[in-house]
Amino acid sequence: MTDTRELLLAKLGFRFGTNGPHAARTMMLGDLRVLFARLPVGATRAEYVNEVVANNVLGKPTKKARELGLRHLATLYTLDPQFALFRALRRLWPTDEAAQPVLALTAALARDPLLHGTQAFILGKQPGTVVPREDLQKLLGGSHQDRFSPASLKSFSQNVNGTWTAAGFLAGHARKTRVLPVVTPANVAFCLFLGHLEGLSGQRLFSSTWMSLLGGSPGELEAMTSSASHRGLLVFMNAGGVKELRFPGYLTAEEEQWRQEASHGI
């Protein structure tokens, strides 16, 4: 990916680089649910900061812990409606509680390169397969040679395991097993939208890395896309095998320009 394309996608809410919050935390699903339940969909960045730091809505023991919690949440999700990715997450969040774990994971994958680097590994495991933490630790060590100590790699792999478990892709405590997550039309809408932000369109949206996260057959995913369309989460038209998707109200004119410019680098 070119530097110019990364800069354009960063304006839309993606995050790149090598570091990420999963070096210290999971995706913080519980905290995110508490925070989103407290504030309206259209809340400002300042309101999120105030709730976490001043009002201590997350119940942290010290001011430093509140500020650290805010920093990690902001890195994972932006907590800022100026970014299209966050606005879409916030828009879809209240539509289906069952979708929330995978919605949070999807946003975190777009924002945390460390977590994103484990996606292919997890998705490559068949349901019912045992997924030892040591295997994930080995993967991370190979991807980030000389960057982490053995103790750090163990902690990192535990955090990543915790996130994939909270999202419903792994089950178990000490012994993790690959399972299938709960996926709803809201999840399909969000994954299609992220592909749209990256400049994909039509059939190519259904074969993006975001849609691969959801599993399911092409027919199942199309059925959920139709359901999302009926719920007003997107517009989906499928005539003669030609698919068209639109996302009315998701992007400003300036953001649409950035999206189109980013698509030139595909």
Side-chain angles (χ1 to χ4, degrees):
M1 185 179 294
T2 65
D3 291 343
T4 298
R5 186 161 189 262
E6 281 193 359
L7 287 171
L8 290 167
L9 291 175
K11 289 182 178 182
L12 296 170
F14 291 87
R15 184 175 173 273
F16 302 94
T18 56
N19 295 317
H22 276 79
R25 300 285 179 91
T26 67
M27 68 175 179
M28 304 173 69
L29 176 62
D31 286 342
L32 192 67
R33 277 177 154 159
V34 169
L35 186 56
F36 282 2
R38 185 68 172 260
L39 289 170
V41 170
T44 65
R45 163 76 176 183
E47 288 173 317
Y48 286 108
V49 173
N50 186 65
E51 279 299 315
V52 175
V53 178
N55 295 340
N56 194 22
V57 68
L58 303 181
K60 303 301 181 184
T62 65
K63 183 179 180 183
K64 182 177 180 180
R66 299 175 208 173
E67 291 172 342
L68 280 173
L70 174 67
R71 186 176 75 189
H72 287 301
L73 282 170
T75 304
L76 283 167
Y77 305 107
T78 81
L79 301 183
D80 192 336
Q82 76 166 314
F83 293 103
L85 188 151
F86 178 72
R87 290 199 312 274
L89 172 67
R90 201 65 180 89
R91 176 176 183 164
L92 295 168
W93 191 265
T95 66
D96 191 341
E97 184 177 350
Q100 291 172 3
V102 175
L103 284 174
L105 172 72
T106 306
L109 286 167
R111 301 272 309 160
D112 189 339
L114 295 178
L115 178 65
H116 187 75
T118 67
Q119 178 174 332
F121 172 81
I122 296 295
L123 297 186
K125 303 297 182 181
Q126 292 298 313
T129 303
V130 174
V131 185
R133 179 191 55 75
E134 292 78 9
D135 288 358
L136 186 57
Q137 185 172 333
K138 183 178 179 180
L139 170 74
L140 296 169
S143 301
H144 304 280
Q145 292 182 5
D146 303 324
R147 288 193 60 216
F148 300 105
S149 68
S152 295
L153 284 171
K154 180 178 180 181
S155 175
F156 177 20
S157 63
Q158 289 171 335
N159 291 332
V160 169
N161 258 344
T163 284
W164 286 105
T165 302
F169 287 76
L170 297 176
H173 182 61
R175 186 173 183 268
K176 300 290 187 183
T177 302
R178 176 76 162 92
V179 294
L180 295 177
V182 174
V183 173
T184 80
N187 298 122
V188 173
F190 194 40
C191 287
L192 288 168
F193 179 66
L194 293 191
H196 176 71
L197 286 181
E198 291 181 330
L200 301 177
S201 61
Q203 181 62 44
R204 295 181 70 191
L205 282 168
F206 287 88
S207 57
S208 74
T209 57
W210 303 110
M211 290 297 280
S212 71
L213 183 66
L214 305 179
S217 68
E220 290 169 336
L221 294 175
E222 282 190 28
M224 281 196 280
T225 303
S226 294
S227 180
S229 183
H230 293 149
R231 298 182 189 187
L233 305 181
L234 48 75
V235 173
F236 177 47
M237 291 175 283
N238 186 5
V242 178
K243 299 177 178 64
E244 181 181 351
L245 289 113
R246 297 200 305 268
F247 300 86
Y250 277 73
L251 295 175
T252 66
E254 185 176 37
E255 288 168 341
E256 177 58 30
Q257 180 64 36
W258 294 338
R259 187 195 73 81
Q260 292 182 17
E261 291 177 16
S263 71
H264 296 156
I266 296 177

